[in-house]
Amino acid sequence: MQWILPDGASTFAGDIDFLYYVILVITGIAFLVVEVGLVWFAIKYRARPGRRATYTHGSLRAELVWTAIPAVTVVVLGLMSGGVWNHVKGRHSAPAEALPYRVLAKQFEWHVTHPGPDGQLDTPDDFTIRNQLHMPVDRAVVVHLTAEDVIHSFFVPAFRVKQDAVPGMEIPVWFEATKAGRYELACAELCGLGHYRMGAEVMVHAADEFGSWTAAQAAARTQ
Amino acid sequence: MTTVAHPSEHTTHAGHELPFIRKYIFSTDHKIIGIQFLLMSLVFLFIGGLLAMLIRWQQAYPGSAIPGAAVLPETMAPGGILLPEFYNSLVTMHGTFMVFFAIMPLLVGVFGNFLIPLKIGAPDMAFPRLNMWSFWIAVPAGILMLAGFFVEGGHAAAGWTAYAPLSANPEFSGVYAGQKLWLLSIAILGLSSILGATNYITTVVNLRAPGMTWFRLPLSIWALFITAILVLLAIPILSGAAIMLFFDQTIGTHFFAPAGGGQPLLWQHLFWYFGHPEVYILILPAMGMVSDIIANGSRKPVFGYHSMVYAIIAIAFLGWVVWGHHMFQSGMNPTLGLGFMISTLLIAVPSAIKTFNWMGTMWQGNIRFHVPMLHAISFVAMFVIGGLSGVFMASTPVDIYIHDTYFIVAHIHYVLFGGSLFALFAAITFWYPKMFGRMMNPFWGKVHWLLTFVFFNLTFFPMHSLGVYGHMRRIYDPTQYEFLQPLMGLNKFITVSALLLFASQLIFILNFIGSWFRGAKAPDNPWEDNGLEWTVPSPPPHGNFARVPTVHHGPYEFSAPGVAEDYLPQSSATRIAVPPAEGRRVEP
């Protein structure tokens, strides 16, 4: 049994993981209170000859306590979560200087349009690669996500990123990798018979290496 | 209300002359209809479980032949190896059968029918013939749903949630008639549910026996009543959405297809606007019946009866304003996510009230561990896990990571199996003597409970871990991803546990069938309970009550002072010596 999250590799992974652990502790306490209580009551108040149950219909004070505690807890949790949510997924949360990409999901592959050396989409130096997304480390990127046929979902577990790709909609999703390396991108929404193999890779390059890689790609494509 | 005209004879449960076909097939007796629903939904429960075994095999041993599956046709599993398209159908139909044809009819169709008239002191439902129709409309729906496996292109394979455009466009799914049959079946089953709900509401409002005030209703009846209101309001939304999707497939409308100006998210909004109340349809009756059984087992009044009623109403109300939490990552406006997160988290409050009040009921009780009580306590223990895991996905940022992973699969099974199904085992074993006039074998009942409890947890608890690692749900072959490789050991462990869990259910099936023929004769009131149904013979005659009962007490007057026994039937004229000191707002 494993309750520890795998290593995160994006700027907001830490915030999401922290919330997860806060909830894990709170629910863990509630879990223990209820389960230990149930077992304890079951043993202590088991039927024995000559005993009779206490005749009571309840206690308003006790009920107010166990109404108020969860109510306050969930409101606090909601407020904590709201901040992180706005930071990660809010309408205008993507940093202005984020490097733009366009990802088109279709059965059963990812078409990733890279911005090219100029760092802009919809310019002649853009290039599209199938099932690979190359990006620099320590720089925010924003993926303009869409789908051609059915709903897919763009899921990079290490970045704590998941966003459905919906045909007819373009949805921005941003993230900033903190460690160079290779990461897996998976489709997380049932999209047909090849859903299970709709994987791709995300290559996070060191900043200088990314520059030369992009230049080489762009050059190779214009020849 | 023709049934009133048949006062019963105690020697036989159908003293008047009805031909076999009217008595047992096209019956208008709510008890027979309840048993018909019981047999039908247990069959679907078994089929749903069987499909789950195929799913589990594939998760542990992807690409290897399933023992015995070579009998399946080439289009499903050539050589016993599942095809990915058939795997998607399995996932879809496991969910569909369990939600629509097993758990929902077991809770609402079986116990709504069987318990409501008996527990409120009525001779039958308000509309017995409508009741008969509600069952006989459900049957063709079930047949259509099964037929989907045998049509070209295979059965529906877009998940039980049938997300468009995958479900709308055969070009993308390769599924033709299967999805259409699925939609037709769902729409027809909806009609059955609506008829049933109308009947339940009318019956509870109009046919309560003298003295059966609203706050003397057992919590099972409160829960079934509120559930019926949810059914009546929620099912038409699903039926409407299913018909729209059917039109998209057949006559070229574009409600959900973006190519023609439609919106895929519209399906999700409609589906979950039905779907979340549906979740409470699947849990509220379970909560109500568990409340009855825990009070009986603890020999104590339900702790905080009134707040239990208000919590049911609060959960039912909140159930209408939380559907968006299924869509946090769907592309819906993220600002909406905040509102849906708060409303979702608030459901923790009435759920906590119920949980602690069940514990309060056991506190200072004199607990009898009969088989229904064991299942009822397990319900509380398991429902709590399902409720607490829900807090993770209610928190929108955490949901980004765990959405569409096995964490969700673990959660739904802790609620629907650990919750609803344990409650159903409690309810079936509790009311079996009243239904069939015979006791189930208590020894094998306890063995079944123990094995189910152990293997249930060994199956579903580790799924949380899969989700924590990011294991996606509904994938045919997890070995396709490097990051899922280390989880294959856990996947095998879960599969072995699931097979043992399934095998343990054979004990229940044998006990259920065997006791029907050979069980000990059941007395009128084997559990020494207070409900009106225990004042009539087991099984009760057509028309239920020889004389209309008068109700003098609330449903949970166990261990009342001045009463010799530790229970007090609701229709008993015996007075309680001292009004409860601590108790409040208790009807005299």
Side-chain angles (χ1 to χ4, degrees), chain A residues 8-10 12-13 16 135 156-161 175 177 179 183 202 204:
Chain A
S10 70
F12 49 64
I16 291 177
M135 59 181 282
V156 186
F159 296 167
R160 312 290 188 257
V161 165
F175 44 94
K179 269 182 282 190
Y183 301 95
V202 178
V204 177

Side-chain angles (χ1 to χ4, degrees), chain A residues 2 6 35 42 45 47 51-55 57 63 66 81 85 89 107 160 162-164 184 188-189 192 195, chain B residues 88 172 299 304 307 329 334 357 364-367 381 395 400-401 403-404 465 468 482-483 557 560 563 584:
Chain A
Q2 173 85 31
E35 306 295 348
Y45 301 116
R51 262 191 87 231
R52 204 173 157 96
T54 306
Y55 179 71
H57 285 84
E63 288 187 80
W66 61 59
S81 302
W85 174 252
K89 286 250 177 152
Q107 288 179 330
R160 312 290 188 257
K162 187 179 288 131
Q163 176 59 57
D164 286 3
E184 282 181 287
E189 182 70 61
H195 165 58
Chain B
N88 290 347
F172 300 141
R299 316 308 292 166
S307 21
Q329 320 309 333
N357 280 0
Q364 294 198 344
N366 192 35
I367 302 170
S395 166
I400 296 174
Y401 181 62
H403 181 69
D404 270 328
S465 275
V468 165
E482 254 172 58
F483 77 103
E557 298 300 333
V563 181
R584 60 202 164 80

Side-chain angles (χ1 to χ4, degrees), chain A residues 108-150:
Chain A
F108 299 97
E109 52 195 34
W110 304 89
H111 289 225
V112 184
T113 304
H114 294 65
D118 66 352
Q120 309 272 325
L121 279 177
D122 304 317
T123 51
D125 66 348
D126 296 357
F127 54 88
T128 302
I129 313 182
R130 208 170 128 259
N131 291 339
Q132 280 186 4
L133 189 158
H134 292 260
M135 59 181 282
V137 73
D138 295 329
R139 176 162 183 202
V141 302
V142 56
V143 170
H144 298 280
L145 186 62
T146 183
E148 185 179 287
D149 34 39
V150 300

Side-chain angles (χ1 to χ4, degrees), chain B residues 79-254:
Chain B
I81 299 167
L82 297 182
L83 292 173
E85 50 269 47
F86 182 56
Y87 179 83
N88 290 347
S89 293
L90 287 175
V91 170
T92 303
M93 297 317 298
H94 168 70
T96 303
F97 283 140
M98 288 307 199
V99 168
F100 292 108
F101 289 90
I103 305 293
M104 189 174 168
L106 277 171
L107 288 167
V108 183
V110 177
F111 289 101
N113 262 313
F114 191 80
L115 292 183
I116 289 175
L118 277 171
K119 273 191 163 299
I120 66 173
D124 205 312
M125 285 286 176
F127 311 115
R129 201 158 284 131
L130 209 62
N131 208 18
M132 177 187 83
W133 276 107
S134 122
F135 175 73
W136 283 107
I137 289 172
V139 172
I143 293 171
L144 277 183
M145 200 52 105
L146 284 171
F149 279 113
F150 306 101
V151 297
E152 198 166 341
H155 212 322
W160 80 277
T161 50
Y163 275 16
L166 184 62
S167 58
N169 198 332
E171 190 188 319
F172 300 141
S173 61
V175 175
Y176 295 87
Q179 189 72 51
K180 296 189 184 83
L181 286 172
W182 189 93
L183 291 167
L184 276 180
S185 167
I186 289 293
I188 294 172
L189 187 70
L191 183 58
S192 155
S193 301
I194 292 167
L195 294 182
T198 315
N199 221 341
Y200 299 166
I201 294 169
T202 315
T203 306
V204 174
V205 170
N206 288 320
L207 296 189
R208 283 171 289 125
M212 183 60 91
T213 58
W214 283 99
F215 285 114
R216 279 180 183 162
L217 282 178
L219 288 170
S220 52
I221 302 305
W222 261 112
L224 286 163
F225 176 67
I226 300 292
T227 300
I229 296 175
L230 288 182
V231 169
L232 195 63
L233 297 175
I235 295 288
I237 298 159
L238 175 69
S239 307
I243 291 166
M244 287 159 79
L245 191 52
F246 189 78
F247 284 169
D248 267 15
Q249 291 210 353
T250 49
I251 62 169
T253 58
H254 293 94

Side-chain angles (χ1 to χ4, degrees), chain B residues 255-484:
Chain B
F255 290 111
F256 310 116
Q263 171 54 279
L265 290 194
L266 175 62
W267 169 264
Q268 295 182 32
H269 279 294
L270 290 173
F271 185 86
W272 290 117
Y273 191 60
F274 144 80
H276 210 82
E278 169 74 7
V279 172
Y280 296 121
I281 291 168
L282 298 172
I283 199 72
L284 288 177
M287 290 175 159
M289 294 190 292
V290 159
S291 304
D292 286 10
I293 292 166
I294 287 189
N296 173 288
S298 306
R299 316 308 292 166
K300 254 192 78 193
V302 163
F303 197 93
Y305 168 87
H306 284 76
S307 21
M308 291 299 251
V309 173
Y310 299 137
I312 292 172
I313 296 171
I315 292 174
F317 176 77
L318 282 172
W320 290 101
V321 289
V322 298
W323 81 91
H325 70 215
H326 298 271
M327 299 172 61
F328 286 151
Q329 320 309 333
S330 69
M332 160 183 94
N333 187 333
T335 313
L336 277 174
L338 291 173
F340 281 121
M341 168 170 65
I342 297 295
S343 58
T344 302
L345 284 168
L346 283 178
I347 289 190
V349 177
S351 307
I353 293 172
K354 297 205 77 82
T355 303
F356 288 116
N357 280 0
W358 286 317
M359 293 174 72
T361 307
M362 288 169 64
W363 171 73
Q364 294 198 344
N366 192 35
I367 302 170
R368 296 179 185 175
F369 293 100
H370 46 53
V371 176
M373 183 64 173
L374 292 170
H375 283 293
I377 297 174
S378 306
F379 164 90
V380 180
M382 299 298 98
F383 170 74
V384 162
I385 298 176
L388 291 172
S389 65
V391 178
F392 289 83
M393 56 210 71
S395 166
T396 44
V398 179
D399 182 70
I400 296 174
Y401 181 62
I402 59 176
H403 181 69
D404 270 328
T405 69
Y406 263 86
F407 201 92
I408 311 293
V409 179
H411 166 76
I412 186 81
H413 286 91
Y414 265 92
V415 177
L416 280 191
F417 191 145
S420 307
L421 199 50
F422 269 104
L424 279 165
F425 284 135
I428 291 171
T429 49
F430 193 71
W431 279 291
Y432 187 96
K434 192 53 65 183
M435 286 180 170
F436 299 103
R438 292 180 187 267
M439 304 299 291
M440 284 181 88
N441 183 301
F443 173 77
W444 289 111
K446 282 177 185 170
V447 172
H448 165 252
W449 164 77
L450 184 67
L451 293 177
T452 304
F453 186 80
V454 169
F455 292 126
F456 166 77
N457 280 292
L458 291 181
T459 302
F460 293 105
F461 205 74
M463 285 189 188
H464 292 108
S465 275
L466 295 181
V468 165
Y469 271 103
H471 195 314
M472 293 82 73
R473 61 198 283 212
R474 293 170 169 174
I475 52 169
Y476 167 70
D477 181 0
T479 61
Q480 290 282 321
Y481 289 95
E482 254 172 58
F483 77 103
L484 299 181

